[in-house]
Amino acid sequence: MIERIQNEVTLALRSGDKQRTNALRLLLSALQKAAKDRPAGAFGDDDALAVLRRERKQRLEAAEAYRAVGQDERVAAEEADLPVIDEFLPAPLSDAELAEIVDAAIAEAGATTMREMGAVMKLVTARSGGRADGRAASELVRARLGA
């Protein structure tokens, strides 16, 4: 993943796309820092995807905070990075796919009450492979368990 983003930085520099170059450099920096914090060879694609998801979430939260205080330029800058990050993340699950995973997890866990939500969410998280939005999954589980 790091090599792929390094190649993309080079291409963005050559094309003169400053916004894309800056977004890619921030991603590359976050990935390199995370890789450095791990033992040699222990930083894999799953770790890289986790870093990218965290970076995406940070951009969304920052944009929301800037929107709340009326800093529209900063909102646009944060949101401009999102499509670049999304290029490197697997496609999110559709609502139907998520519902299917949630239903299967509820059946497997034998869950009938909200007390068992944690067990269901653990299964949903494991089965979604990081492709499910945690908030959407949580809301769906709550709805299915009757909360």
Side-chain angles (χ1 to χ4, degrees), residues 71-87:
Q71 293 187 2
D72 294 334
E73 283 183 25
R74 301 290 299 259
V75 170
E78 294 293 335
E79 289 179 343
D81 289 351
L82 294 176
V84 175
I85 296 170
D86 289 342
E87 287 178 36

Side-chain angles (χ1 to χ4, degrees), residues 41-121:
F43 189 78
D45 283 345
D46 289 341
D47 299 315
L49 290 175
V51 170
L52 293 176
R53 282 188 202 96
R54 183 182 68 230
E55 290 295 314
R56 185 178 197 292
K57 183 178 179 184
Q58 286 175 352
R59 300 301 190 295
L60 288 171
E61 289 171 352
E64 203 173 292
Y66 289 134
R67 189 173 287 113
V69 295
Q71 293 187 2
D72 294 334
E73 283 183 25
R74 301 290 299 259
V75 170
E78 294 293 335
E79 289 179 343
D81 289 351
L82 294 176
V84 175
I85 296 170
D86 289 342
E87 287 178 36
F88 301 98
L89 290 172
L93 292 173
S94 69
D95 291 341
E97 291 171 319
L98 180 58
E100 188 177 307
I101 289 172
V102 166
D103 290 340
I106 289 172
E108 183 178 327
T112 56
T113 67
M114 281 302 296
R115 287 184 175 187
E116 297 152 316
M117 182 174 174
V120 173
M121 285 302 297

Side-chain angles (χ1 to χ4, degrees), residues 7 9-10 15 37 61 78 96 100 108 110 125 139:
N7 291 336
V9 168
T10 303
S15 71
D37 292 342
E61 289 171 352
E78 294 293 335
E100 188 177 307
E108 183 178 327
T125 303
E139 289 173 5

